[in-house]
Amino acid sequence: MCYAPRRTFWRSMGELSRIGVSIDSDLLRRFDSFIKNKGYENRSEAFRDLIRDRLVGSAVIAPKQAVVGSVTLIYDHHTRLLPEKLADLQHDSHAIVVSTLHVHLDHDRCLEVVVLRGESRDVQKLADRLISTKGVRHGRLVMSSPDTVSRHRHVHH
Ligand code: NI
């Protein structure tokens, strides 16, 4: 993690509220171990990041909200017509497909990362169609709303 200078940091946070959280001791130990591995300096920052991730990645994004997203797919390229189907889906939605990265993982498997930009509902819909295509072994969409993130994230990276 990196931190912006303190004054900038507080300004970007807006008004600060302090809350108390009751948490199972065992869960807290696991959380402390997790955030130590991630390099957080304190629990508060880790809590804030977890909350932001959940909010950005879930239903609080309105259907017409402008978002960016990346879909990661792992699939077997021997599956009949699968590469063609995935390419067809992307051509059908070319207006929201920014770029595609293709990696030939080994003899059989491919990894594809599709970067999308558009309205939340369109990005989600295309991601669902890609991920649910028969033969795709694993798929995940990571979606961010630039508006939401820029208000909270630190400027320096
Ligand atoms: Ni490949």
Side-chain angles (χ1 to χ4, degrees):
M1 292 298 292
C2 53
Y3 294 87
R6 197 174 179 82
R7 277 174 55 193
T8 311
F9 175 70
W10 289 117
R11 201 185 309 134
S12 73
M13 290 291 295
E15 191 182 324
L16 215 61
S17 299
R18 189 173 283 276
I19 58 164
V21 177
S22 301
I23 185 168
D24 180 87
S25 305
D26 182 53
L27 186 58
L28 185 59
R29 265 193 297 276
R30 287 164 56 199
F31 181 68
D32 283 342
S33 160
F34 168 80
I35 67 177
K36 192 179 166 200
N37 286 335
K38 295 284 183 191
Y40 284 102
E41 288 181 14
N42 60 63
R43 287 173 179 160
S44 291
E45 184 56 21
F47 268 122
R48 285 192 288 267
D49 271 0
L50 286 181
I51 290 168
R52 282 181 205 122
D53 280 353
R54 289 296 291 174
L55 292 179
V56 167
S58 70
V60 291
I61 298 181
K64 292 189 129 187
Q65 170 87 50
V67 298
V68 290
S70 60
V71 187
T72 303
L73 305 167
I74 292 176
Y75 62 90
D76 184 337
H77 85 141
H78 295 306
T79 303
R80 191 174 144 71
L81 296 178
L82 178 56
E84 290 84 353
K85 281 180 197 161
L86 294 175
D88 283 348
L89 285 171
Q90 293 177 55
H91 276 281
D92 288 346
S93 300
H94 63 89
I96 62 167
V97 176
V98 178
S99 183
T100 300
L101 168 76
H102 188 103
V103 179
H104 310 300
L105 284 180
D106 53 33
H107 186 263
D108 302 316
R109 292 176 307 152
C110 300
L111 169 107
E112 207 157 286
V113 179
V114 186
V115 178
L116 305 173
R117 179 159 59 191
E119 292 184 0
S120 162
R121 59 181 175 182
D122 298 331
V123 167
Q124 184 74 60
K125 190 175 164 194
L126 177 57
D128 288 345
R129 290 180 72 187
L130 290 168
I131 291 167
S132 64
T133 300
K134 190 171 180 239
V136 173
R137 297 300 160 94
H138 182 73
R140 173 158 294 188
L141 166 66
V142 176
M143 197 164 68
S144 285
S145 154
D147 298 343
T148 311
V149 173
S150 63
R151 259 191 297 132
H152 296 293
R153 292 284 181 192
H154 312 314
V155 193
H156 311 279
H157 277 286

